[in-house]
Amino acid sequence: MHDAPGSASATGAPTATPQAADAYDVGFAAELAHGAGELLLELRDELGFDDPKALKAAGDRRADDYLLGRLAAERPGDAVLSEEGKGEQGRVGTARLDADRVWIIDPLDGTREYSEAGRDDWAVHVALWQRGLGLTAAAVALPAEGVTLRTDALYEVPEARAGKPRIAVSRTRPPAEAEAVAAAIGAELVPMGSAGAKVMAVVAGTVDAYVHSGGQFEWDSAAPVAVALASDWHASRIDGAPLRYNNADPYLPDLLVCRPDLAGPALKAIAETH
């Protein structure tokens, strides 16, 4: 994807209708996420799993270099917030807080799972934030599953499952808020890997909710949240406040993504824990 729809302006930026521009950005986000995912799969095959620490480091570096290189070459006027840059190194073109367009990327979400043979619950996140609009385009690749979910696709909310609702939580530290929601709605907790994999499990209907507290950053949730919101799933802070991106401090520590019908009971149960 190297040619924009519409004609080029004097600065080389593509001109198009807002709808065409959005489609172009979503397609580019999906291409980036998929491409980084393919590189990560190749690296897994190349290095194997004998040295998990080395595999994690190499995966982060290779995926970040690929994404930043593509963005610098094809979106030179946009800024970038990358996990690997921690908001400093991951800048392209103009400074992030002054930019009208900022790509928020997580080159490898779920390094632990990536470094474990047989695990597929890790992801690549690519999202675009635009001033005055918020998140406008995003894609989440699940490379080991061969799937890339994007904001221009419709992932319908399925009928409520016949058995217990399922809530995705961290493999190592399920938050008290998730336990409170599980008790309130009679759900079971389902340990899973990366944040992106958990949110996409909600969107796919594998689980009904994802509750997180205790620490995340904007790159952990931007692309998954954008994909969920584009299909009308509920996504908010755990106090019900909107999720806002491209802040001076990218720390965004908590998150609730769930079926719309579970949002009220979940938020009520969470509020009672505080």
Side-chain angles (χ1 to χ4, degrees), residues 111-189:
T111 53
R112 174 184 173 186
E113 288 72 28
Y114 174 71
S115 69
E116 296 178 10
R119 295 205 70 96
D120 59 12
D121 47 348
W122 51 278
V124 178
H125 302 175
V126 179
L128 174 64
W129 173 95
Q130 295 192 69
R131 188 172 304 282
L133 298 173
L135 299 173
T136 58
V140 177
L142 301 172
E145 295 185 26
V147 173
T148 299
L149 294 92
R150 41 197 285 174
T151 48
D152 61 354
L154 178 62
Y155 306 102
E156 295 184 1
V157 179
E159 295 294 325
R161 69 184 66 255
K164 289 184 176 181
R166 308 176 83 223
I167 301 175
V169 293
S170 167
R171 294 171 63 192
T172 57
R173 50 187 186 283
E177 291 86 352
E179 294 174 349
V181 173
I185 65 174
E188 62 176 314
L189 301 181

Side-chain angles (χ1 to χ4, degrees), residues 4-7 13-22 24:
S7 60
T15 59
T17 63
Q19 293 85 357
D22 288 347
Y24 182 53

